[in-house]
Amino acid sequence: MSGGCRYMPNPPEPYLIEKTKRESRRVTLNVGGERHEVMWKTLDRIPHSRLGQLRQSNTHEALLELCDDYSLLDQEFYFDRHPLSFSSILNFYRTGKLHLVKEVCVLAFSEDLEYWGIDSVFLENCCQHKFNQRQEQVFDEMRKEGEALNQLEEEDFGEGAMAKLQKFGWDIMEKPTSSFPARIVASISIFFIVLSTVSLTLNTMPSMQMYECVNETDTECGADLAAHPPGHREALDDHLQQIDNIYLAKIEEVCIAWFTLEYLLRLLFSPSKRKFLQGALNFIDLLAIMPYYLSYFLIESKKKIGEEDEYKTFRKVVQVFRLMRVLRVFKLGRHSRGLQSLGYTITNSYKELGLLVMFLAMGVLIFSSLEFFAEKEDNPAFESIPQTFWWAVITMTTVGYGDISPTTAIGQVIGSLCAICGVLVIALPIPIIGNNFAEFYKNQVQRELVLKRREEVERAKRESSIVQLGHATLDVMEGLVDPAGKFYHKKLNSSVKHVFTY
């Protein structure tokens, strides 16, 4: 550009700028290399905007505050901006209607509006809602990405060789997708979870159960035990007690040994022991192994004390602890994004679940009362309202076992209404709960992508190579400043230099 430029040794005088503007009715706006011709009077329609102030500025310094370069001779003003959204902005000066550009990122469009001095409230109704919705969505995604990165930054292992070893062990035990050894550890953990669950279920089969004499010194019981095969020991029930299958018990011990080792290693490598112990998944891991040790030590202590009658009662209490072993199936939640989403949904949908329970409770009470008074004289199954609760629950949930059913015409009508209302009541909060599940599942996927992208960026920075983010490829540029003040951009691994003077 000539005739008045940023780099001219003598900038034009204000009177010359004012005269040139007054003699020309049109002006050329060069936005990122794309030229637009417009009337000066068109820019006067929005005087407080950047282009409106451009008309009123008559000094070299004031013009350079509004544009990046200009030429008085050509009446051309250059703006170093991306030109994609400028057509919509210029059309706002011409027609007074501002529309959203579909191809432009909503944040980039918002920044362009701010740069040109135009408020987003001028967007037309057809675009206003879309703009706000997309903007809120982007802000929400950025917030979630920030939370994911903040969570990553909270893992402070310190410095030194032990810190590196701790981080390496933590990544292996806690991040299954971080490396090949981590995937192996995760696969082994899943194998033992499945094996332990299968062992627990097989141990309840009569053909797999084993027995021992209550009194170990009872030789007659021992002889009868050997003479009666499994499944034909009913006559010895007073002298026998059921025990776990010894082979399945060995499998259980191996699984518990792995779960214990895994928990201790995860605790050892964790960057914060307090946060580790407060974690929900870690608490589930602890519940998965504690019942085994509690039942084992308590049974052994009672065996030493004796007192057979008390020992029998105590074994029934221990069965409660053994029942808790089924909780180890929740350990799969550590390796399953779907189970984590389900747990989040249940935790964060307590209002909807509470509403569902309240609706069901009201329906059960109302229809139980109506059904009781309709059936009490002709149907002995409906003895009282509390007993009718069971019928109302299975009817409203559309289970319908059929163990209790109305026989009178009025009772059947009430039962039909109860079933219809049950379907409507259950269907009301289900979509909200489903949306919570889908939202958290999406957040989990996005969090993993954010962490993966950050790892790619950090690896690329270490290797000083090309950074690949999704479908975009960014050249890692190296900036050099020479003593004269010129700023150079040199592309790495290339013999071509691009020199720009600012």
Side-chain angles (χ1 to χ4, degrees), residues 25 114 154 160 197 217 232 234 248 312 351 382 397 430:
R25 300 175 58 189
E114 183 179 356
E154 289 177 359
T197 306
T217 60
H232 299 81
E234 293 79 0
L248 295 178
K312 288 181 179 180
K351 292 183 179 179
F382 296 88
T397 55
I430 294 301

Side-chain angles (χ1 to χ4, degrees), residues 321-368:
F321 290 103
R322 290 188 172 180
L323 181 63
M324 293 177 64
R325 296 181 189 178
V326 76
L327 293 176
R328 66 188 57 166
V329 74
F330 290 106
K331 286 173 62 67
L332 289 173
R334 184 179 296 278
H335 310 283
S336 172
R337 189 188 302 127
L339 287 177
Q340 293 177 13
S341 302
L342 179 61
Y344 171 87
T345 302
I346 295 175
T347 304
N348 290 271
S349 301
Y350 64 92
K351 292 183 179 179
E352 292 79 11
L353 293 174
L355 190 65
L356 176 62
V357 171
M358 184 183 70
F359 286 163
L360 284 175
M362 292 174 59
V364 166
L365 180 61
I366 293 173
F367 287 106
S368 295

Side-chain angles (χ1 to χ4, degrees), residues 123-187:
L123 280 166
E124 292 297 302
N125 293 333
C126 59
C127 297
Q128 185 68 250
H129 177 69
K130 187 186 301 182
F131 174 81
N132 293 333
Q133 187 179 29
R134 287 169 59 181
Q135 192 176 45
E136 291 177 2
Q137 182 180 0
V138 172
F139 284 151
D140 187 55
E141 291 178 356
M142 293 175 63
R143 177 184 58 80
K144 293 171 182 176
E145 288 188 8
E147 291 176 354
L149 294 177
N150 290 336
Q151 184 176 357
L152 182 64
E153 292 173 355
E154 289 177 359
E155 296 179 357
D156 184 14
F157 296 93
E159 299 179 356
M162 293 302 296
K164 293 181 179 179
L165 178 61
Q166 184 181 4
K167 185 179 186 307
F168 177 75
W170 177 252
D171 290 342
I172 289 179
M173 302 302 298
E174 191 70 17
K175 302 175 182 178
T177 59
S178 60
S179 63
F180 181 71
R183 285 192 287 270
I184 293 178
V185 172
S187 300

